[in-house]
Amino acid sequence: MIDIHCHIIPGVDDGSANIEDSLNMAKKAVEAGITHVFATPHHLNEKYVNVKSDIMDRVLRLNESFLLNNIPLTLHLGQEVRIHRDIFTSLEKDEILTLDDNGRYLLLELPSGRVPTYTQEVIYELLLKGITPIIVHPERNKELIANHKLLFELVQEGALTQITSGSIIGNFGKSIQSFSKKIIEHNLTHFIATDAHNIGTRGFTLQHAFETITKVYGIERTFYFKENAEQLLKNQSPAVEKPVPFKKKILGIF
Ligand SMILES: [Fe+2]
């Protein structure tokens, strides 16, 4: 399996604290059936700054450590960029890192409590530059939980999204789990990833999430998500199913 969102680089954000942690995470990922991981440290999230050149250097070194330790896991380049008014300045300074540095797909994080007013403009400007934003864990965003229609609009405008595997299996609570299911049912998500930060509570739960998806929606839905991640790895376009609008509430009932 391929994991497109993971905080496995040591000492750069709130993920792995040191090389020992990173090696343990890598071993757990392999045990969980994962062969390729995109390392996606936080960038511009008000706490962490991790520019492209630094990440490239660190991914190279961590891949070497995996080889030295006989861990069959391949690390790929990535970054989780918080939506920020400086995002285009950072892009001009060549600090932004798309997945595999292919200039096509970018993990974009919204603040957990809201959707900034300029979000649609950022998505539009990125698309104009040939970069498709993949909005990470929309199911955990409070404004989107309250306003499903807004998520539909963002996807309709061309953004892709990624749900966190832990959300699907209930690790973030019932309401996030239930919104995750609604997002899947309305074709508003295109990837499932771990967003792993450690080997404990935020580990590699990809397989568990896929088992749940298969049970609820059938194996073809699991294949859809797995194939989309494979497409990214091959530098090809993922499949995008037509988003389904949410039905209007009638007398307060769906
Ligand atoms: Fe993340």
Side-chain angles (χ1 to χ4, degrees):
M1 285 184 294
I2 299 158
D3 188 10
I4 70 161
H5 183 170
C6 176
H7 298 266
I8 196 169
I9 298 179
V12 296
D13 60 10
D14 54 347
S16 161
N18 50 49
I19 184 68
E20 205 187 338
D21 267 1
S22 300
L23 294 176
N24 285 333
M25 282 177 79
K27 284 177 198 159
K28 285 282 181 201
V30 171
E31 278 171 30
I34 294 167
T35 53
H36 297 77
V37 161
F38 285 84
T40 53
H42 289 291
H43 180 54
L44 292 179
N45 77 340
E46 286 161 12
K47 199 164 177 198
Y48 303 107
V49 170
N50 283 294
V51 300
K52 175 177 170 176
S53 54
D54 275 356
I55 299 170
M56 290 177 102
D57 188 42
R58 288 170 195 272
V59 164
L60 195 75
R61 279 189 278 152
L62 195 52
N63 260 328
E64 283 170 4
S65 300
F66 292 169
L67 268 178
L68 277 173
N69 287 276
N70 294 315
I71 302 171
L73 184 71
T74 307
L75 211 53
H76 292 255
L77 298 170
Q79 188 182 43
E80 179 179 4
V81 183
R82 172 71 67 91
I83 197 162
H84 192 282
R85 59 181 183 279
D86 287 342
I87 192 170
F88 291 102
T89 315
S90 198
L91 193 65
E92 274 163 32
K93 288 199 272 182
D94 201 23
E95 293 174 351
I96 299 292
L97 184 52
T98 51
L99 297 181
D100 264 339
D101 192 25
N102 62 14
R104 296 181 67 196
Y105 296 97
L106 178 72
L107 293 196
L108 185 69
E109 183 192 37
L110 302 171
S112 60
R114 64 197 178 91
V115 177
T117 48
Y118 54 88
T119 299
Q120 277 158 314
E121 224 172 309
V122 167
I123 291 171
Y124 179 75
E125 290 293 330
L126 284 171
L127 287 168
L128 277 185
K129 291 177 187 298
I131 300 172
T132 302
I134 300 173
I135 298 172
V136 299
H137 40 71
E139 78 281 5
R140 287 163 49 200
N141 179 283
K142 288 195 181 75
E143 190 169 339
L144 294 177
I145 292 171
N147 180 3
H148 299 2
K149 194 169 161 265
L150 180 55
L151 178 63
F152 173 80
E153 285 168 9
L154 299 179
V155 174
Q156 183 87 325
E157 282 155 19
L160 301 180
T161 79
Q162 168 257 305
I163 285 184
T164 298
S165 50
S167 301
I168 292 166
I169 59 176
N171 287 358
F172 295 94
K174 283 238 156 47
S175 60
I176 287 175
Q177 185 179 33
S178 126
F179 187 35
S180 302
K181 288 184 175 164
K182 276 189 193 159
I183 293 174
I184 293 175
E185 285 157 12
H186 288 78
N187 291 343
L188 295 176
T189 195
H190 314 86
F191 304 97
I192 310 295
T194 67
D195 192 10
H197 281 65
N198 51 51
I199 56 170
T201 50
R202 296 194 63 185
F204 295 93
T205 53
L206 202 51
Q207 181 59 26
H208 190 170
F210 282 141
E211 280 164 15
T212 303
I213 290 169
T214 299
K215 215 190 264 173
V216 181
Y217 304 105
I219 189 84
E220 64 281 1
R221 185 52 70 146
T222 291
F223 287 158
Y224 169 74
F225 291 124
K226 285 186 174 178
E227 278 169 11
N228 273 350
E230 280 166 27
Q231 290 293 92
L232 290 190
L233 205 70
K234 290 190 277 188
N235 197 14
Q236 288 175 9
S237 305
V240 179
E241 289 185 344
K242 197 174 174 344
V244 178
F246 290 96
K247 285 198 183 110
K248 278 198 185 120
K249 276 183 184 179
I250 300 165
L251 299 174
I253 302 164
F254 275 109

